[in-house]
Amino acid sequence: MAQLQTEVDVVIIGGGQAALATAYFLKRKKIPFVILDDQSQAGGAWLHAWDSLRLFSPNTWSSLSGWMMPTIEQTYPTRNEVIEYLSAYEQRYQFPIIRPVHVDHIEKKDGYLDVYAGDQYWRAKSVVSATGTWSQPFIPDYEGIEQFQGIQIHSADYKNAELFKNKKVMIVGGGNSGAQILAEVSQVAETIWVTKTPP
């Protein structure tokens, strides 16, 4: 039988930027909450991003509420600089974060939401899902996929260009991830970039 951990007004599932921004305003309004994060440390999806990833906007425009991202030498913060900022932000505001906790499911009972993780659960009036998209990347099914003998990965699984050195590589997608990966992979491989609309 699952054991109740605590009752709060809000349970936030996830520990990235969206979770921290939500936590900032809940704390400011003195609304009791807890953050359940399935990562072992601060950083959210940035922990799993490719090595050379940079923030897509300058640090002055990318700060979370209440505390500016520190000034850095270059315009766009690196993956590690973002992780350091998110970790420092958590510490600065002393958010109630429990990790690593993987939420299994949520059940509605007597007007409350019970948030389950294995043999424990948290009871809340509201739940904020701030889990992002990196943990469930979408790779569309296409005709002939079973005959393709090359490597196919999602940007969520990309780490660096080494795997593609001296190969022919197609980058699909016109967003920031596609553009940054193309810029890196094109240095070591023959590339083609496929987008739905002109980049």
Side-chain angles (χ1 to χ4, degrees):
M1 178 143 183
Q3 185 175 359
L4 176 63
Q5 300 302 301
T6 191
E7 289 188 37
V8 291
D9 285 1
V10 181
V11 168
I12 302 169
I13 304 170
Q17 297 103 299
L20 298 180
T22 302
Y24 173 83
F25 287 102
L26 290 173
K27 185 166 186 166
R28 194 166 150 181
K29 292 289 186 180
K30 297 182 173 38
I31 297 171
F33 70 95
V34 66
I35 298 173
L36 304 178
D37 184 17
D38 70 353
Q39 303 302 303
S40 59
Q41 68 181 67
W46 285 88
L47 297 169
H48 306 284
W50 61 92
D51 300 339
S52 65
L53 178 64
R54 290 188 173 277
L55 199 56
F56 306 137
S57 56
N59 62 332
T60 54
W61 298 347
S62 303
S63 300
L64 294 175
S65 297
W67 192 41
M68 292 295 291
M69 188 177 275
T71 304
I72 53 173
E73 286 183 32
Q74 65 281 344
T75 305
Y76 301 99
T78 66
R79 169 189 177 270
N80 289 341
E81 287 169 335
V82 173
I83 291 170
E84 288 168 14
Y85 170 68
L86 296 176
S87 180
Y89 190 89
E90 277 185 16
Q91 293 169 18
R92 178 184 178 97
Y93 292 107
Q94 294 294 297
F95 295 137
I97 301 173
I98 303 169
R99 60 170 57 106
V101 173
H102 179 76
V103 172
D104 302 319
H105 66 283
I106 300 170
E107 293 180 12
K108 188 172 184 177
K109 290 183 188 167
D110 303 322
Y112 290 93
L113 295 166
D114 290 344
V115 181
Y116 286 87
D119 61 356
Q120 52 190 353
Y121 72 98
W122 291 260
R123 179 162 285 162
K125 295 176 186 173
S126 300
V127 173
V128 174
S129 178
T131 58
T133 59
W134 284 75
S135 62
Q136 294 185 332
F138 174 70
I139 297 176
D141 192 26
Y142 58 87
E143 190 176 332
I145 191 170
E146 61 280 347
Q147 278 96 32
F148 182 66
Q149 294 182 14
I151 300 165
Q152 179 175 315
I153 66 168
H154 190 277
S155 60
D157 298 313
Y158 176 78
K159 290 297 174 204
N160 57 51
E162 188 62 33
L163 182 64
F164 306 102
K165 196 171 186 178
N166 300 319
K167 295 186 176 170
K168 293 181 180 180
V169 181
M170 179 186 297
I171 311 289
V172 179
N176 289 320
S177 297
Q180 282 195 17
I181 291 171
L182 171 72
E184 186 167 280
V185 173
S186 66
Q187 305 261 334
V188 299
E190 183 180 330
T191 57
I192 184 170
W193 193 18
V194 178
T195 62
K196 285 175 106 175
T197 58

